[in-house]
Amino acid sequence: MAEQPAPEVQSVVHTEEAPATYGVARSGAEAPAPPRSRSRRRDGCRRGHRGPGAPGAHARGYWLPRSQRARPTHFVAIQLKSREIQRCVEQLQQWFVAQNKLFERCLVPIRRMHTALLLTSFEDSRLHEARQAYAEAAKSIREFLGGEALQLKVEGVGCFGGRVVFARVRTEPPELLEAMHHLLSRTFLRHGFPVLDDTGQAWLRPGEEPRQFRGHSSFLKVSKAISHSRSKEERESFKALHVSDEDLAPFRSTHLGSQLCSDIELLAMLGSAQDGYYPRLRVEKLPGEVLPEMEVVGDDDPRAALESAWSGEPQDSMSPEDSPPEESRQASPATSRTARRNTTLALEVWQVVAQVQVLTIEDLLMLAAVAQDGLQVVQAVVCKVKVMLFSEAGRSSLCFEGSCLDWDRVRTVPSAKALQIRDVEEFLAQPASEQLAADVGFVENSQQLIFGKTLEGLQSGLREALPFAFGKVEIHVGAVRNISIPIPAVLETICAAQPEIIGLEGLGLGDLPSWVQSLQKLNSARVLVHAWTNRDVDSATHFQPLLEALSSSSELKGLDFQNLACTFHDFPAERLPRGCIAFGTIVLQKDMKGLSARGSMDFHDFVGLFPRFPPQVSIVRASLGTKGHWSVSAQAMAEVFRAKFPGLQVLQLELSLQHSKDSNDVPFIDLSRALIQLGVKVEVTKIRCRAAQYEFLRAAMKYGGALVNEEEDEGDETVYPFSHPRFDWSKVDGSAERK
C-alpha cells in the first residue's frame, strides 16, 4: 500500500513578535510553526552535509565529505516499550533472517527500539545546558498537548536505500509527532545546539526551520553489519545485501501495535544502560490519560492535583499523634462530631463505588486533592504499606554484567532523593486496599545515612517517599537487598526492621563475625541473599559459621549465593538449617565477556566435587551458560541434578547463550524435558541470547512443559526466583505440608 501523504497544513508567516500557529492550537498553548517543504538533494549516501561549525563551509555550502561530517552524540526519543510492538518486530526480524542468515548480524536489539524526535551533538561539558534546554522543550510539549495523552501507532514497514528497514510510527492525530520534533528543534537551536534532520544527513543552520518529519523506528541495519565486518570477504557479502520493494510489499500496511507514551528521554548515543537501552540523561513526563470518571474541581489539571496529593505538605491526619489538643476538642465538640460524620459519609460513598468498579491508588490520591473529605477517606482506607528496599546505582556497572541478578540496580530516573518509589505508574495502578506494596530504591552510596539512623529514621524517610496524603501510615519493611556497608549501625536498623528477605553484597572475611551475630537476631528472615563476595572469601567453607548461626531459625526457607569469588566445591551442605528448602545459585559453564563468570563450574567438576544436599531442599536455582562444550547428554544432566538434590521438586533455570552459539549447541531444551519426565517442575526465570533465538527457546521450553517467564499471553504466570519478594511461598509451603 502506498504511503499516505502528510496532511496539508496552512503556512503562516511569523516572527518572534508574532508566534506561528500549527493547525489547531490545543488548550490555548502556543503551537510550533509548520515545517517547510524539503527541497534539498537526497543523494546524501555519497556526499556529506556540513556539520555545525565545520571548517571551510561557505554561506550556503553544507555538503562536505563524510570524513568531515559531524556525528550526532545525543538524541531525544520515545522508547517503544509495548510488548505487542516488540513481539511483532521480533517476528519481522526472524522473517528476514529466514530469507538470508546474514541478516542476523544486521538486527537492531529489540530493547533499543525507539522513535527519535531530535538528533544533536554536544560535548560533555555542555551536558547541564543540554538538560536545561531539554526540560524547556519538554515543558512546551506538555503545554501544547494540553493534558491529553500521547498515543503512538506503529503501522507499516519502509526502507532507506535498501539498507535500513524501519517501522513507521505516527500519532493520533498524526501531526503531533511532527509538532514535538519542531518544538524540540527550535528550543535546542535557540540554546546554541546543532540539530540534525530526521534523515541524519543535514545539519540545520541557525534560524533555519525544521523540515518535514515522519516518525520511524529502525529494526534492521545492513550498515551495522558492514561496519563490524571481520574480513574483506565478509564485508563484501554484507554489501551485497539489499532489501527490495518486493520484500516489503507484504508488510506495508501491517499493524504492529500501539502504546501510550508516558515520557520522553534525552539519551546518549554511546554506552548502554543496565536494561540494554541507551544511557538516560534526563527523563521528562508527558501528560497521561485522564480518568473519565474523575470529576475535576474548577480549572485545575488532574495531574497537578495528583502531584499535590503526592508531594504537598501533610494536613491533619486521623492518627492519634495528629489529633487536636484536648482543650481544642472540648471547646468544639459539635465540630468534632460533624467531622467524624462527614468522614463516615464519605467512606460509605467510597465503599458503594468500590463495589461497582476497581478503584486504584491514583483514584484515591485524586480524591484527596480535589474532593471534599477526600484526605480523610485516603487515610481511612490505606493503613499499611509493605516496602521492598534495594540499592540503586546512577549507571550500570560492568562488574555486574552476566551475574544472576533478579532486581534491576540502575536508577532509571535521575533524582536527588535518597529514597524514591521505583515504578510510580505501577504503584498508582494498585487496587486501593488496606495494605499496599511499594518498591523503593535507595541510593547506593548513601546507605549509612539511610540505615544508620535507627528504624525510626528509616521509616521517616520512607514516609517522605510515599504520598503525603497517606499521613502517618504504618510501614513494614518486607525486603532489603544489596546492603554493601554492613557496619553496626546499619545492621542494628536491619535487625529492628525484621525484613523477610535480606541481601548483602561485597561480604568479606572481616565482615562475617558481625554479620553472624546479627543473624541470630533476625527472627523473621525467610530468605538470605549473599551477592558478590570479596576475593578473600576463597572457599565455601567460610560460610560454615553463618550456617551454624542459622541452625535454630524456624522461618528461614531459602539461601541464595550470587557472584561468589569461589565455587561450591567445599560447601558444608550438612550444616544447612532444617527449614531451608531452597538453595542457589549454581553457576555452570557460564561466561562474562569471554571469561568464566564468578563461581562458575565446569559440569564435570559439578559431578565430581559438588556436595550432596539433604533431601529437604526441594527448590534449586541454577544458571547455565555456554562457556565450553556441553559434552554430556540432557538425560545424564537431569540424573546428576536429582542425585545431588534427592528432594528436588522445582529447578529454576537462568539460561545464557553466547552470540557465537547456536540453539542446537546446548542441551537446555532436552534437559528441561528430561527433568519434567523425572517429576521435576522446571521454571525458566531468564533467557539471555540473541533476539532471533529467544522466541525459539521460549516456545520450545514452554512446549516441553516448562514455565517460562516474560510471557504476555493472558493467564500466564510470571516466574520469579525464590529470592525475589514476589515469589509465592504459600504454594511451596502448602505442597511441603502435603508432602
Side-chain angles (χ1 to χ4, degrees):
M1 183 178 70
E3 181 184 353
Q4 297 295 325
E8 295 183 2
V9 181
Q10 182 180 1
S11 179
V12 180
V13 179
H14 66 283
T15 63
E16 289 298 326
E17 292 76 19
T21 59
Y22 186 98
V24 179
R26 311 177 77 182
S27 301
E30 176 187 345
R36 299 177 183 175
S37 61
R38 191 185 301 270
S39 60
R40 59 185 60 188
R41 298 178 60 177
R42 283 290 189 172
D43 55 349
C45 59
R46 295 186 179 181
R47 306 177 69 183
H49 288 288
R50 179 173 65 90
H58 54 80
R60 298 188 60 82
Y62 46 85
W63 297 95
L64 281 178
R66 184 179 297 272
S67 60
Q68 298 182 29
R69 184 191 307 170
R71 295 177 179 272
T73 59
H74 298 80
F75 65 106
V76 177
I78 299 174
Q79 185 178 6
L80 299 183
K81 305 175 183 178
S82 165
R83 287 300 297 167
E84 177 191 14
I85 296 174
Q86 292 181 357
R87 187 60 56 82
C88 289
V89 171
E90 276 184 331
Q91 292 174 353
L92 280 174
Q93 289 179 330
Q94 292 171 21
W95 184 87
F96 279 99
V97 172
Q99 310 311 307
N100 190 328
K101 198 163 185 178
L102 288 175
F103 278 125
E104 189 170 5
R105 295 270 299 278
C106 308
L107 302 182
V108 175
I110 291 297
R111 292 180 178 179
R112 291 204 160 197
M113 282 200 65
H114 66 276
T115 180
L117 300 177
L118 176 87
L119 298 172
T120 186
S121 178
F122 56 83
E123 302 289 337
D124 290 343
S125 59
R126 298 195 67 192
L127 177 57
H128 180 67
E129 296 177 62
R131 284 173 171 164
Q132 289 181 323
Y134 172 61
E136 181 181 325
K139 181 179 179 181
S140 300
I141 290 173
R142 285 192 291 267
E143 291 174 352
F144 174 70
L145 293 175
E148 295 186 31
L150 181 71
Q151 185 174 31
L152 289 184
K153 292 188 176 181
V154 183
E155 293 177 336
V157 176
C159 186
F160 292 138
R163 298 284 189 178
V164 177
V165 185
F166 60 85
R168 303 184 190 278
V169 181
R170 66 179 181 88
T171 52
E172 189 62 47
E175 65 268 14
L176 296 185
L177 207 61
E178 188 172 24
M180 293 170 66
H181 165 71
H182 189 82
L183 283 170
L184 284 162
S185 300
R186 285 179 58 188
T187 305
F188 271 74
L189 285 170
R190 187 168 61 249
H191 283 265
F193 290 96
V195 173
L196 202 63
D197 73 356
D198 65 322
T199 66
Q201 299 293 330
W203 291 94
L204 300 182
R205 293 187 293 270
E208 186 178 2
E209 289 294 335
R211 268 73 173 172
Q212 189 179 16
F213 177 84
R214 289 172 182 167
H216 69 276
S217 180
S218 302
F219 61 84
L220 186 149
K221 295 182 178 180
V222 178
S223 56
K224 171 188 172 185
I226 294 176
S227 62
H228 291 86
S229 298
R230 294 184 286 262
S231 65
K232 183 178 179 180
E233 293 76 13
E234 191 176 74
R235 183 181 181 88
E236 292 301 321
S237 63
F238 283 120
K239 281 186 175 181
L241 278 181
H242 183 83
V243 179
S244 66
D245 291 340
E246 184 180 352
D247 295 330
L248 301 181
F251 313 114
R252 291 203 178 275
S253 60
T254 302
H255 177 75
L256 302 176
S258 61
Q259 75 173 47
L260 285 174
C261 301
S262 59
D263 50 47
I264 54 177
E265 300 168 316
L266 175 63
L267 307 161
M269 288 279 188
L270 300 179
S272 177
Q274 183 75 12
D275 59 359
Y277 196 55
Y278 297 91
R280 299 171 175 89
L281 304 181
R282 187 181 178 100
V283 180
E284 289 286 342
K285 292 293 181 181
L286 294 178
E289 184 179 10
V290 179
L291 298 174
E293 67 275 12
M294 176 58 61
E295 181 180 355
V296 182
V297 177
D299 297 328
D300 294 337
D301 182 357
R303 297 295 155 180
L306 179 59
E307 179 66 23
S308 173
W310 184 284
S311 58
E313 291 298 325
Q315 302 178 24
D316 291 341
S317 173
M318 296 184 65
S319 59
E321 295 85 351
D322 292 334
S323 58
E326 184 67 27
E327 57 271 17
S328 174
R329 293 199 301 271
Q330 292 176 355
S332 54
T335 302
S336 299
R337 287 195 298 271
T338 301
R340 287 195 297 269
R341 186 167 59 252
N342 288 341
T343 301
T344 303
L345 178 61
L347 279 173
E348 290 176 353
V349 173
W350 168 266
Q351 292 168 357
V352 171
V353 175
Q355 292 176 359
V356 178
Q357 75 176 86
V358 176
L359 298 173
T360 65
I361 299 304
E362 184 171 7
D363 299 334
L364 268 183
L365 295 182
M366 289 284 196
L367 184 65
V370 302
Q372 185 179 9
D373 295 325
L375 187 64
Q376 286 84 351
V377 171
V378 171
Q379 295 175 5
V381 172
V382 180
C383 302
K384 303 175 184 178
V385 178
K386 188 174 183 179
V387 174
M388 310 298 172
L389 280 162
F390 52 95
S391 68
E392 293 178 315
R395 55 184 179 180
S396 61
S397 174
L398 292 178
C399 66
F400 288 100
E401 289 186 5
S403 63
C404 308
L405 297 178
D406 49 33
W407 283 15
D408 185 7
R409 294 174 41 85
V410 179
R411 176 159 285 195
T412 55
V413 181
S415 172
K417 296 181 179 179
L419 290 163
Q420 69 176 21
I421 291 183
R422 283 185 48 83
D423 193 334
V424 176
E425 288 77 12
E426 182 179 343
F427 174 78
L428 293 175
Q430 290 183 87
S433 62
E434 179 180 353
Q435 179 169 304
L436 305 179
D439 289 347
V440 177
F442 59 87
V443 177
E444 192 174 32
N445 56 6
S446 300
Q447 295 184 20
Q448 186 170 352
L449 177 65
I450 296 170
F451 296 95
K453 295 183 177 180
T454 71
L455 179 60
E456 289 72 19
L458 173 61
Q459 291 179 333
S460 176
L462 290 171
R463 287 193 182 96
E464 293 180 5
L466 295 170
F468 91 94
F470 288 170
K472 289 194 174 181
V473 65
E474 179 184 338
I475 295 177
H476 171 63
V477 179
V480 183
R481 284 291 306 270
N482 299 71
I483 293 292
S484 58
I485 309 177
I487 60 176
V490 171
L491 294 179
E492 287 176 9
T493 300
I494 301 299
C495 291
Q498 290 291 321
E500 298 170 5
I501 300 177
I502 310 162
L504 270 76
E505 67 176 28
L507 201 65
L509 282 179
D511 304 318
L512 279 172
S514 59
W515 177 231
V516 168
Q517 292 180 2
S518 299
L519 288 177
Q520 297 173 351
K521 305 176 185 178
L522 292 168
N523 302 319
S524 301
R526 182 186 291 265
V527 178
L528 293 182
V529 183
H530 295 82
W532 203 262
T533 57
N534 290 354
R535 291 184 180 275
D536 55 3
V537 185
D538 54 2
S539 172
T541 56
H542 293 306
F543 295 114
Q544 181 165 333
L546 182 146
L547 298 178
E548 291 175 350
L550 296 170
S551 59
S552 60
S553 174
S554 58
E555 296 294 328
L556 187 73
K557 301 294 184 183
L559 280 171
D560 198 0
F561 295 89
Q562 303 176 359
N563 282 301
L564 299 183
C566 60
T567 64
F568 285 117
H569 293 173
D570 302 320
F571 187 81
E574 71 281 357
R575 301 285 186 177
L576 209 65
R578 292 183 179 179
C580 184
I581 61 174
F583 184 84
T585 297
I586 303 166
V587 185
L588 299 177
Q589 297 189 195
K590 192 169 181 180
D591 69 289
M592 183 177 68
K593 294 186 178 298
L595 303 174
S596 294
R598 287 168 60 99
S600 178
M601 292 178 288
D602 183 82
F603 188 77
H604 292 288
D605 291 337
F606 176 64
V607 174
L609 302 175
F610 190 85
R612 187 175 186 269
F613 273 64
Q616 72 206 41
V617 178
S618 59
I619 304 173
V620 177
R621 186 184 182 202
S623 180
L624 310 183
T626 52
K627 181 68 175 177
H629 176 63
W630 288 92
S631 58
V632 295
S633 67
Q635 186 66 38
M637 291 175 61
E639 292 174 355
V640 169
F641 270 102
R642 283 300 302 269
K644 297 295 183 180
F645 298 94
L648 182 63
Q649 296 181 22
V650 179
L651 181 62
Q652 295 188 326
L653 291 177
E654 180 186 81
L655 308 177
S656 300
L657 271 72
Q658 292 177 341
H659 279 239
S660 59
K661 298 291 184 180
D662 190 80
S663 304
N664 296 324
D665 296 336
V666 292
F668 299 159
I669 298 173
D670 292 336
L671 170 63
S672 174
R673 293 173 178 170
L675 287 166
I676 292 172
Q677 290 176 356
L678 292 175
V680 178
K681 183 180 180 181
V682 177
E683 298 179 346
V684 183
T685 61
K686 189 70 176 178
I687 300 177
R688 293 186 176 97
C689 62
R690 297 193 304 270
Q693 295 175 319
Y694 174 78
E695 281 300 323
F696 171 74
L697 282 174
R698 184 189 68 85
M701 301 284 285
K702 183 179 178 182
Y703 181 77
L707 190 62
V708 184
N709 198 15
E710 300 185 13
E711 296 276 5
E712 283 73 42
D713 299 333
E714 186 176 355
D716 283 332
E717 181 181 353
T718 304
V719 182
Y720 293 109
F722 72 80
S723 55
H724 195 282
R726 292 193 178 94
F727 181 77
D728 190 356
W729 283 96
S730 62
K731 296 181 180 179
V732 177
D733 294 341
S735 62
E737 290 176 1
R738 289 191 299 271
K739 182 180 177 182

